[in-house]
């Protein structure tokens, strides 16, 4: 077994070239500090530009990648935009559209329902929803 | 400015346009579904942090990985249960997750009682509102079970049942208390002394909006650095100054909304060595001394009043360092390292925002300058605060201070524009995107109120506000949905925003709101706003199709049938009226009529005690009666009697109501059966009364109805008997509306073309001398006025040119000069056209001209119903009669030329027909 070699390579798991390029492109223009100097309007405009034409799954890759790379602005906005898509949706909807496999037993699901009941109390559950698929 | 749009009944026919389906698949993966559970854990938690508790619950119910992440303790350090029904069962179900809970916000005394079931022993901060009825017992238990409490805030509502005993209990149980803000009846000396004795770290005390506070005892709380008695009454300022100046650590004092005067302030300033800042917004006694109150700086101490430059005053606390005062609250996190100054700013934000909200609620006069120059800027600053309470209050204050007249929903344009100029719209929209429902509803309310102004509405739309409001309208939280629907209501006034709202899925969201909230009580506010927004949207033809496609017809009819709240009924009826206003360009009119119970409900609503409801219901029936089947169904549902009663009762009502009442009768009277029924039910007298109105809109509908009614000779006689000739003659020569003049001339022509005479004879034979007396006088008067009406169109030059030439150009010129554009929207039946054709042979030259004039108007190529009329003219054998009339030697020139034009119109139609 040889000596451990030192290397300058930073591992970026799960980051594809296109995503990497996009984020680097953003970081080239703005630093965290320079971005915070913008007014609310300007920030929104720049984020809208950055996320324009983003497909559903691009948010996943952008959020993951910006997390690994520490690109906070991109990460915050990707999380916010992902969350916006999840608002007021049912469990089934989230599972279907976010490709999540249900690995609970029926008993667990029942127990979970009880745990979560409080969040729906006092307001009407959102009962009619439809898929975006 | 009104939230309403004017209903338009007559619309030119349009091609049916298919609205493109809202593409909900826009965001979908093209490459198939990807597994999102691959996201890093901390990113998932960050997403959780952007969502409310319901969405978090949904997210963590998807799979085990996210379930575990949803229980992460960092998600359970703070809890805001204000939007939830928080009882002991709910609290118990949360207990296992709340071991590390530090911060809790709740609403109402029931929730306060449930807090102990969370078993959150390490709770440090508790803040409650809506606690008017909370008792000492609840506070005592709360304090006893949470001994690590550092901050307790109960307000802003005044808690009438809480006494000094509760304060004592807090003092004894919670020795680590640092911050206490209460709004109660009286704070007695022994309670304050207990605080001084037990709570050595108590630095921030607020007895806000209390009735009475023992000011002398407050001097014993030596640890206090920030004190607020804002809004508290019965303070003896002499004693206060005497005792408070001994407080060794006192830095900031808030005496806003009290009766403090300049002498007490100057004595405080001169005698307290530690005091740096005195906040005194809206203190009349102080402001009475303008010179004193406008001076920022009193021996190195800062006084903040509505007359001083507040930001500059605050800036001066920072010594010599040059800085931009305007951003002092916003950008401090980067620049201010001084802990004390940060504390001061936090305290000041909280107290100033509280006072600004209170001032905005009472909206005293004389503060315009303050709001424009300072208040708006401060509120926008506070909306960016790190304290969520401050953000929320600033948004509420913003929503409040721009409204100057609640009744008419009118806002102060200057203030609205000041908000807009300082990027207030983006700030509000940003808050609305927050997961916190308190922020969402307050921001949405502010956006809704601001959007009454068209300029601001445009800014809201330009900055993506429509999508945000549509999203909020999907919220299951009633307050959020209500404010969002209100925002869409106000935005939908603008023609240019209607399409954008439809595109964002707003129509669907609004229709769903109606289905959702019509099942539950308490949703009236949501229903009124959603129906109001749909009403505005339905005024646009494309959007109206979308409203119908999304099930809006059913939803709105359901409201009209079942809802007992007048505001909701009014908007539902208005929405149905607008849906039915697009005549033959889509099927909505028929669809509304076919909805079970729709017409019955609308007929019922015309009997409402509320004028707005009556008006919109009558308007809806008017629009619906354009459809033949609906017209007869309305009559079958008792519409004739109801509308006649309405016309009777509205002699002193608004023009809008009068117009629609007569309009609905006009619509019904299109069929002769209904006409006869209206005459029999006594509808003629009120219509004649309405014809004497001073509003053109009422003239048109009353004249239209009387014209239809006069077709029937029995009705014609009634009109004469009720004095209708004078009314019609007056309309014909005086109304500013050409349509009203035209239709009253036609009504008079029907009445005196001879058909009535037979009936009149029979009546006078059977009943003796009739009320109508001799018909000759009225007849002469009628003909004279018809004649002078026709003369108003005669242009001797054009007429003689047309007489001399046989070419089409001269005739076209006459057509142009006599044409009444709106008359093209009138649709006549075969009988009516036949009657005018017959009238062409009437011995009276006036009636001859009048008939030719009417047929000319109805057959102008390109008019909406021209084709229909042309075929009726052919059926009635008109061409031959017209040729005779055009050539008759004894007939007046106008009659001949009008007849020639009608002939030419017929030819043009035939040519066109052949060409096709």
């Amino acid at each position: 077994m040889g000596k451990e070699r030192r290397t300058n390579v930073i591992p970026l798991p799960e980051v594809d070239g296109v995503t990497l390029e996009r984020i680097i492109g953003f970081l080239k223009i703005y630093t965290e500090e320079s971005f915070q100097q913008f007014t609310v309007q300007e920030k929104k405009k720049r984020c809208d530009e950055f996320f324009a034409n983003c497909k559903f799954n691009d948010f996943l890759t952008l959020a993951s990648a910006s997390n690994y790379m520490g690109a906070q602005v991109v990460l915050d906005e990707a999380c916010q935009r992902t969350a916006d898509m999840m608002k007021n949706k049912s469990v089934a909807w989230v599972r279907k559209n976010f490709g999540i496999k249900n690995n609970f037993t029926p008993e667990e699901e029942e127990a979970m329902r009880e745990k979560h009941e409080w969040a729906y109390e006092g307001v009407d559950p959102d009962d009619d929803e439809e898929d975006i698929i | 400015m009104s939230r309403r749009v004017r209903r338009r009944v007559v619309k030119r026919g349009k091609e049916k346009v298919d609205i493109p389906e809202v593409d909900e698949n826009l965001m979908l993966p093209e490459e198939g579904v990807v597994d999102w559970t691959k996201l890093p854990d901390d990113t998932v938690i960050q997403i959780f942090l952007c969502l409310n508790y319901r969405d978090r619950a949904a997210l963590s119910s998807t799979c085990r990985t996210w379930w575990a992440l949803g229980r992460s303790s960092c998600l359970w350090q703070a809890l805001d249960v204000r939007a939830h029904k928080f009882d002991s069962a709910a609290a118990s179900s949360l207990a296992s997750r709340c071991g590390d809970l530090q911060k809790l916000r709740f609403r109402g005394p029931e929730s306060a009682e449930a807090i102990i079931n969370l078993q959150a022993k390490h709770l440090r901060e508790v803040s409650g509102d809506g606690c008017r009825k909370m008792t000492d017992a609840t506070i005592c238990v709360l304090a006893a079970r949470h001994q690590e409490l550092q901050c307790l805030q109960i307000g802003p509502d005044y808690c009438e049942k809480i006494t000094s005993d509760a304060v004592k209990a807090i003092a004894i149980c919670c020795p680590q208390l640092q911050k206490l803000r209460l709004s109660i009846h009286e704070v007695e000396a022994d309670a304050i002394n207990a605080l001084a004795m037990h709570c050595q770290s108590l630095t921030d005390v607020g007895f806000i909006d209390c009735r009475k506070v023992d000011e002398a005892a407050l001097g014993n709380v030596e640890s206090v650095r920030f004190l607020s008695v804002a809004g508290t009454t019965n303070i003896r300022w002499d004693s206060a100054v005497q005792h408070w100046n001994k407080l060794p650590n006192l830095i900031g004092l808030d005496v806003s909304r009290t009766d403090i005067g300049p002498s007490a302030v100057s004595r405080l300033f001169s005698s307290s060595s530690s005091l740096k800042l005195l906040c005194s917004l809206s203190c009349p006694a102080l402001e009475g001394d303008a010179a004193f109150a406008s001076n920022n700086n009193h021996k190195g101490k800062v006084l903040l009043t509505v007359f001083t430059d507040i930001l500059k005053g605050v800036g001066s606390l920072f010594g010599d360092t040059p800085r931009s005062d305007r951003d002092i609250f916003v950008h401090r996190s980067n620049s201010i390292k001084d802990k004390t100054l940060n504390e001061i700013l936090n305290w000041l934000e909280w107290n100033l925002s509280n006072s600004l909200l209170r001032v905005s609620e009472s909206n005293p006069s004389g503060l315009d300058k303050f709001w424009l120059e300072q208040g708006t800027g401060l509120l926008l600053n506070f909306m960016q605060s790190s304290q969520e309470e401050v953000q929320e209050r600033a948004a509420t204050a913003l929503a409040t201070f721009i409204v100057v007249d609640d009744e008419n929903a009118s806002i102060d344009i200057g203030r609205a524009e000041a908000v807009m100029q300082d990027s207030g719209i983006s700030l509000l929209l940003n808050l609305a995107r927050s997961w916190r429902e308190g922020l969402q509803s307050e921001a949405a309310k502010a956006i809704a109120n601001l959007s009454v102004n068209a300029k601001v509405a445009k800014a809201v739309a330009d900055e993506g506000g429509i999508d945000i409001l549509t999203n909020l309208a999907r919220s299951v939280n009633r307050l959020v949905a209500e404010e969002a629907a209100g925002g869409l209501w106000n935005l939908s006034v603008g023609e240019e925003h209607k399409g954008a709202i439809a595109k964002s899925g707003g129509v669907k969201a609004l229709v769903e709101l109606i289905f959702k909230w019509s099942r539950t009580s308490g949703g009236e506010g949501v229903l009124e706003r959603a129906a109001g927004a749909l009403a505005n949207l339905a005024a646009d033809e494309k959007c109206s199709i979308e409203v119908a496609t999304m099930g809006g017809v059913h939803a709105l009819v359901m409201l009209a049938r079942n809802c007992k709240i007048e505001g909701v009924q009014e908007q539902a009826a208005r929405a149905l009226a607008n849906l039915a206003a697009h005549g033959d360009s889509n099927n909505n009119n028929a669809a509304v009529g076919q909805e079970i119970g729709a017409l019955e409900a609308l007929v019922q609503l015309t009997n409402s005690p509320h004028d707005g409801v009556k008006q919109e219901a009558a308007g809806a029936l008017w629009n619906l009666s354009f459809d033949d089947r609906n017209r007869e169904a309305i009559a079958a549902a008792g519409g004739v009697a109801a509308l006649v009663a309405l016309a009777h009762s509205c002699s002193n009502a608004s023009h809008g109501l009068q117009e629609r009442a007569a309009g609905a009768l006009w619509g019904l009277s299109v069929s002769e059966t209904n006409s006869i029924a209206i005459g029999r039910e006594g509808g003629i007298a009120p219509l004649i009364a309405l014809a004497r109105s001073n509003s053109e809109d009422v003239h048109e509908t009353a004249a239209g109805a009387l014209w239809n009614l006069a077709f029937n000779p029995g009705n014609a006689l009634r009109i004469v008997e009720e004095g209708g000739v004078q009314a019609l003659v007056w309309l014909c020569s005086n109304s500013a509306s050409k349509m009203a003049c035209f239709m009253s001339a036609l009504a008079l022509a029907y009445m005196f073309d001879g058909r009535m005479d037979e009936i009149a004879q029979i009546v006078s034979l059977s009943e003796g001398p009739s009320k109508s007396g001799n018909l000759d006088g009225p007849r002469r008067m009628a003909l004279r006025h018809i004649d002078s009406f026709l003369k108003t169109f005669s242009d001797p030059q054009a007429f003689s040119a047309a007489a001399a030439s046989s070419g089409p150009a001269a005739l076209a010129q006459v057509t142009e000069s006599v044409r009444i554009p709106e008359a093209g929207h009138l649709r006549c039946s075969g009988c009516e056209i036949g009657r005018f054709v017959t009238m062409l042979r009437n011995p009276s030259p006036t009636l001859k001209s009048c008939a030719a004039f009417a047929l000319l108007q109805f057959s102008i190529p390109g008019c909406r119903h021209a084709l229909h009329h042309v075929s009726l003219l052919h059926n009635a054998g008109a061409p031959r009669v017209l040729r005779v009339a055009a050539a008759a030697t004894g007939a007046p020139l106008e009659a001949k030329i009008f007849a020639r034009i009608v002939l030419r119109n017929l030819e043009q139609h035939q040519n066109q027909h052949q060409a096709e």
Side-chain angles (χ1 to χ4, degrees):
Chain A
M1 201 174 279
K3 259 208 263 174
E4 198 181 351
R5 273 178 52 192
R6 289 184 58 157
T7 164
N8 288 326
V9 175
I10 304 165
L12 286 174
E14 309 272 344
V15 181
D16 62 274
V18 180
T19 309
L20 191 64
E21 221 167 276
R22 286 184 78 152
I23 297 177
I24 290 174
F26 188 86
L27 295 177
K28 268 187 185 161
I29 311 175
Y30 315 109
T31 64
E32 176 73 28
E33 270 183 8
S34 78
F35 192 80
Q36 295 307 336
Q37 298 304 315
F38 290 130
T39 66
V40 186
Q41 252 163 320
E42 289 165 340
K43 281 183 195 169
K44 185 179 176 298
K45 190 169 160 269
R46 284 169 172 79
C47 286
D48 283 346
E49 278 164 16
F50 182 76
F51 286 96
N53 306 320
C54 257
K55 302 279 188 325
F56 197 67
N57 284 328
D58 292 347
F59 289 99
L60 169 72
T61 47
L62 280 170
S64 302
S66 55
N67 185 354
Y68 291 123
M69 297 168 68
Q72 196 61 40
V73 173
V74 181
L75 177 60
D76 289 349
E77 198 57 29
C79 285
Q80 179 65 52
R81 282 167 197 248
T82 308
D84 286 345
M85 295 188 290
M86 292 173 166
K87 281 178 182 168
N88 297 313
K89 300 296 192 299
S90 65
V91 178
W93 189 96
V94 178
R95 278 191 193 134
K96 194 165 177 183
N97 291 288
F98 288 78
I100 298 165
K101 204 168 165 290
N102 178 9
N103 49 11
F104 289 112
T105 64
E107 294 75 30
E108 282 175 325
E109 289 216 284
E110 178 56 27
M112 204 161 56
R113 206 188 55 75
E114 278 170 24
K115 285 267 183 231
H116 285 155
E117 208 164 355
W118 75 277
Y120 297 96
E121 277 289 310
V123 284
D124 276 7
D126 201 5
D127 45 11
D128 48 348
E129 285 184 75
E130 60 189 57
D131 291 309
I132 55 170
I133 286 189
Chain B
M1 181 170 153
S2 163
R3 281 170 155 161
R4 300 184 183 125
V5 290
R6 242 185 84 80
R7 169 204 40 80
R8 304 270 337 159
V9 182
V10 239
K11 282 228 165 184
R12 276 156 214 273
K14 274 186 197 160
E15 287 299 302
K16 183 172 172 178
V17 189
D18 281 324
I19 198 159
E21 279 229 289
V22 181
D23 190 2
E24 293 198 301
N25 300 335
L26 207 63
M27 312 266 282
L28 271 185
E30 285 163 350
E31 67 277 28
V33 174
V34 180
D35 183 4
W36 278 70
T37 53
K38 284 189 297 188
L39 267 180
D41 289 355
D42 54 343
T43 303
V44 176
I45 287 177
Q46 192 172 344
I47 292 174
F48 268 100
L49 283 169
C50 299
L51 292 168
N52 66 28
Y53 300 116
R54 279 185 301 281
D55 295 328
R56 289 183 197 184
L59 206 55
S60 58
S61 302
T62 52
C63 66
R64 288 190 174 158
T65 321
W66 284 9
W67 165 253
L69 289 172
R71 296 177 65 88
S72 309
S73 69
C74 58
L75 291 173
W76 294 97
Q77 303 212 321
L79 194 58
D80 179 353
V81 294
R82 287 177 304 159
H84 300 272
K85 185 181 166 200
F86 187 71
D87 53 13
S88 52
S92 304
S93 78
L94 282 167
S96 66
R97 282 164 279 181
C98 289
D100 290 331
L101 188 70
Q102 302 201 339
K103 200 172 165 181
L104 178 75
R105 296 191 72 184
F106 70 93
R107 175 163 295 155
E110 295 81 15
S111 302
E113 282 172 33
I115 294 174
I116 51 167
N117 295 299
L118 280 175
Q119 297 177 30
K121 294 203 168 47
H122 308 299
L123 206 54
R124 286 192 197 157
E125 284 184 44
V126 172
S127 167
D129 59 24
C131 293
R132 224 168 259 279
K133 301 285 175 202
M134 190 150 86
T135 60
D136 280 353
T138 310
I139 291 235
C140 291
V141 174
L142 187 71
R145 296 288 191 93
H146 302 97
Q147 306 203 342
E148 294 176 25
L149 216 54
Q150 295 176 355
C151 168
L152 179 66
Q153 304 185 90
I154 311 284
D157 317 77
Y158 167 69
C159 307
E160 56 197 26
K161 292 188 174 172
I162 295 179
T163 69
S164 288
D165 291 347
V167 180
K168 247 183 286 179
I170 296 167
I172 293 164
C173 297
C174 308
Q176 298 173 32
L177 199 68
Q178 295 173 6
K179 196 187 281 182
L180 178 67
R181 290 172 181 153
L182 292 175
S183 178
I184 63 176
H185 190 78
E186 184 175 356
V187 196
E188 291 160 359
D190 55 345
I192 296 174
N193 289 332
L195 284 171
M197 192 197 305
H198 298 284
C199 305
Q200 302 289 328
S201 327
L202 188 63
T203 53
D204 185 337
V205 174
F207 291 124
I208 300 166
D209 293 302
C210 297
R211 295 293 174 271
K212 199 170 185 322
V213 171
D214 192 305
E215 58 283 313
L218 273 175
N220 301 331
V221 193
E222 293 197 348
S223 57
V224 78
R225 304 172 69 209
F226 300 101
L227 177 64
S228 169
V229 289
T232 289
T233 49
N234 300 311
I235 295 176
R236 289 168 299 159
W237 292 107
D238 282 343
S239 161
V241 172
Q242 190 191 333
H243 292 92
W244 297 355
N245 64 18
K246 283 187 255 153
L247 287 168
N249 300 304
L250 187 68
I251 299 173
L253 178 62
D254 187 359
V255 294
S256 296
R257 300 178 289 121
T258 63
D259 54 3
I260 197 169
S263 74
V265 172
S266 48
R267 271 184 293 140
L268 263 173
F269 276 152
S270 58
S271 60
S272 168
S273 53
S274 57
L275 189 66
K276 287 187 176 165
L277 182 65
L278 188 95
C279 186
S280 55
L281 294 192
S282 194
C283 296
L286 198 62
E287 285 152 16
D289 187 345
F292 185 88
S294 53
N295 182 0
N296 240 343
N297 201 328
H298 296 261
K299 297 179 194 136
K301 297 176 199 277
V302 178
L303 176 67
L304 305 181
T305 72
V306 292
F307 295 139
T308 58
D309 186 332
I310 292 177
L311 289 172
K312 196 172 162 200
V314 176
S316 69
L317 290 171
F318 294 84
D320 308 328
T321 22
R323 60 176 63 250
S324 158
D325 292 334
R326 301 294 123 191
D327 291 337
I328 202 147
F329 285 103
V330 182
H331 285 148
R332 65 191 149 114
S333 49
N334 310 330
S335 47
I336 302 172
K337 305 289 181 231
D338 186 334
K339 194 165 160 261
T340 307
L341 286 176
N342 240 333
E343 272 178 342
I344 295 178
L345 289 179
N346 279 337
W347 174 79
L348 203 53
E349 274 186 344
W350 198 95
N351 284 283
L352 278 176
S353 62
N354 197 37
S355 285
L356 288 175
L357 175 57
R358 288 307 176 99
V359 174
S360 75
E361 282 165 353
S362 59
N363 207 1
S365 56
L367 283 186
D368 263 343
K369 189 168 180 292
F370 168 74
W371 282 121
L372 291 179
E373 290 175 4
Q374 301 217 60
T376 311
L378 282 170
L379 290 175
L380 294 177
N381 266 318
F382 295 156
M383 284 199 328
Q384 301 166 73
S385 164
S386 56
Q387 305 180 74
E388 183 210 326
E389 272 179 287
V390 172
Q391 290 186 304
E392 202 175 305
R393 227 183 272 136
T396 312
L398 207 63
T400 313
F401 95 105
I402 48 169
V403 178
V404 285
D405 181 356
D406 256 332
E407 284 288 296
N408 300 315
S410 56
I411 65 167
D412 186 307
I413 309 296
R415 294 181 189 180
E417 286 181 359
V419 173
M420 189 172 67
Q421 273 159 18
D422 238 346
S423 52
I425 304 301
S426 345
L427 287 170
L428 283 167
L429 290 173
N430 235 15
L431 287 193
R433 269 178 88 192
S434 151
W435 66 270
R436 295 173 193 275
E437 294 175 323
L439 284 177
Q440 290 178 344
S441 64
E442 296 313 318
K445 184 197 273 176
I447 294 167
N449 287 350
L450 284 163
S451 303
V452 169
N453 176 297
K455 252 191 188 169
V456 183
K458 189 176 177 304
V460 170
D462 288 348
E463 302 204 19
I466 288 177
D467 283 342
I468 292 174
L469 286 172
T470 296
N471 264 330
L472 293 182
R474 297 191 182 111
S475 169
V476 294
N477 180 311
R478 181 176 57 81
L479 291 174
V480 174
E482 182 171 321
E483 301 301 350
L488 292 175
W489 187 4
N490 283 347
L491 280 169
S492 61
V493 171
E495 294 301 324
E496 68 276 30
H497 306 315
K498 291 182 167 75
I501 292 173
K503 196 160 165 259
S504 77
V507 172
K508 182 162 178 272
L510 289 163
V511 170
E512 281 175 358
L513 276 184
I514 292 181
F515 284 124
K516 190 184 292 173
W517 288 101
S518 53
R519 291 193 300 255
T520 348
S521 65
E524 295 81 14
V526 182
L527 294 175
E528 181 180 359
R529 288 164 174 79
L534 287 174
N536 286 347
L537 291 168
D540 175 85
E541 209 243 315
K542 273 195 204 174
C543 292
S544 84
I545 298 172
E546 172 100 354
V547 172
T549 315
M550 292 300 169
V553 174
H554 181 63
L556 291 162
V557 167
M558 186 178 68
L559 287 185
R561 290 177 68 182
N562 302 331
C563 191
K564 298 282 172 269
I565 308 295
E566 284 160 352
V568 181
Q569 293 175 337
E570 182 178 359
Q571 296 311 321
R574 192 169 68 92
L576 290 171
N578 284 351
L579 272 174
H582 305 285
D584 36 23
S585 47
N586 64 47
N587 300 327
N588 291 345
N589 195 323
V592 173
Q594 280 156 21
E595 193 71 35
I596 293 166
L599 302 176
E600 289 80 357
L602 287 166
V603 168
Q604 280 289 319
L605 290 181
T606 61
N607 196 21
S608 159
H610 185 272
D611 273 6
V613 177
K614 287 196 263 202
Q615 170 172 325
E616 300 306 340
L621 290 172
W622 177 13
N623 287 356
L624 286 164
S625 65
F626 278 63
D627 178 273
D628 294 345
R629 278 215 301 214
N630 283 344
R631 184 176 60 238
E632 300 316 315
I634 292 169
V640 172
L643 289 165
V644 167
L646 180 62
H648 255 298
S649 67
C650 71
S651 53
N652 293 319
S654 70
H655 289 152
L657 176 53
Q658 294 181 336
E659 179 199 8
R660 288 164 179 81
L665 285 172
W666 180 12
L668 286 186
S669 63
V670 165
S671 77
E672 198 171 359
T673 330
N674 289 346
S675 271
I676 295 169
I678 292 169
R680 217 174 30 224
E681 294 280 347
I684 286 171
L687 283 168
I688 291 173
L690 291 176
R692 299 182 202 271
S693 154
N694 51 18
S695 151
E696 292 168 39
D697 292 337
V698 184
H699 291 170
E700 280 187 18
T701 55
L706 287 169
W707 171 39
N708 279 348
L709 290 173
F711 186 86
N712 174 272
N715 282 337
L717 191 61
R718 279 204 181 87
I719 296 174
V720 177
E721 289 170 356
E722 301 283 353
V725 177
Q726 287 85 345
L728 287 166
V729 156
W730 180 85
L731 262 191
C732 179
S733 42
N734 291 304
S735 178
S737 153
K738 268 196 181 165
M739 277 291 276
C741 301
F742 177 52
M743 291 187 294
S744 37
L746 296 186
L748 291 167
Y750 276 171
M751 289 164 65
F752 295 104
D753 69 353
R755 290 201 194 175
M756 183 177 67
D757 301 351
E758 277 172 49
I759 303 268
Q761 269 169 4
I762 297 167
V763 171
S764 64
L765 282 178
S766 61
E767 294 176 10
S770 77
K771 274 196 283 175
S772 52
N774 191 342
L775 289 175
D776 288 344
R779 182 182 149 90
R780 272 197 303 275
M781 180 166 67
L783 293 182
R784 201 172 65 237
H785 282 86
I786 296 174
D787 205 44
S788 51
F789 165 71
L790 294 173
K791 285 282 191 309
T792 60
F793 293 90
S794 88
D795 170 355
Q797 240 181 341
F799 275 68
S800 52
S805 133
S806 56
L811 288 181
Q813 202 191 339
V814 175
T815 308
E816 257 339 285
S817 65
V818 304
R819 178 178 189 174
I820 304 171
E822 300 89 341
H825 299 304
L826 297 170
R827 184 183 168 97
C828 296
S829 66
C831 299
E832 288 171 286
I833 294 292
R835 189 153 177 183
F836 287 118
V837 173
T838 311
M839 220 184 276
L840 287 171
R841 289 190 292 221
N842 197 290
S844 153
T846 303
L847 287 178
K848 261 195 188 110
S849 300
C850 183
F853 181 79
L855 292 173
L856 181 163
Q857 301 292 347
F858 297 144
S859 63
I860 293 175
C863 281
R864 187 165 159 192
H865 301 295
L867 267 178
H868 165 77
H869 292 146
V870 164
S871 91
L872 294 177
L873 279 166
H874 280 291
N875 292 347
R880 198 174 52 81
V881 187
L882 283 163
R883 275 193 290 274
V884 173
T889 41
L893 178 63
E894 299 89 38
K896 288 197 273 190
I897 290 175
F898 293 153
R900 274 175 61 201
I901 295 175
V902 180
L903 281 167
R904 190 172 153 265
N905 288 346
L906 290 175
E907 264 170 47
Q908 277 186 312
H909 279 285
Q910 198 149 27
N911 293 344
Q912 210 173 355
H913 187 69
Q914 278 167 356
E916 280 163 16

